[in-house]
Amino acid sequence: MSMSDDDRPVRKVAHEIGCDLSLLSVDELAARIALLQAEIGRLEAERARKGESRSAADKLFR
C-alpha cells in the first residue's frame, strides 16, 4: 500500500551544528536559518532573565 503525501509523517525540522549543508535545498536552508534565529532569540531572552535575577540578588546581598 502506498502512502499519499498527506499520510506521511511530518519530519521535524532540526539542525545539527556542523552537518553537511550541501544536500539541503534553498527552502530547507531558509527553514533552518529561521529555526536557529528563533533559538538565538530564546537563548538571549533566558540570558537576560538570568542576568536580571543575578543583578537583583547582588543588590540584596551587598
Side-chain angles (χ1 to χ4, degrees):
M1 184 189 289
S2 68
M3 295 176 124
S4 71
D5 288 340
D6 293 336
D7 294 338
R8 291 185 183 158
V10 177
R11 195 171 76 185
K12 184 178 177 184
V13 177
H15 183 75
E16 182 180 328
I17 304 297
C19 68
D20 182 13
L21 303 176
S22 65
L23 300 176
L24 299 175
S25 69
V26 171
D27 289 340
E28 289 171 320
L29 289 168
R32 291 196 184 192
I33 289 169
L35 176 75
L36 292 169
Q37 287 173 332
E39 183 64 7
I40 288 168
R42 192 174 77 90
L43 290 165
E44 288 175 337
E46 183 65 15
R47 179 179 63 181
R49 187 185 69 76
K50 288 187 177 193
E52 291 168 3
S53 294
R54 182 174 181 164
S55 178
D58 287 344
K59 288 178 183 176
L60 180 66
F61 291 109
R62 282 190 181 173

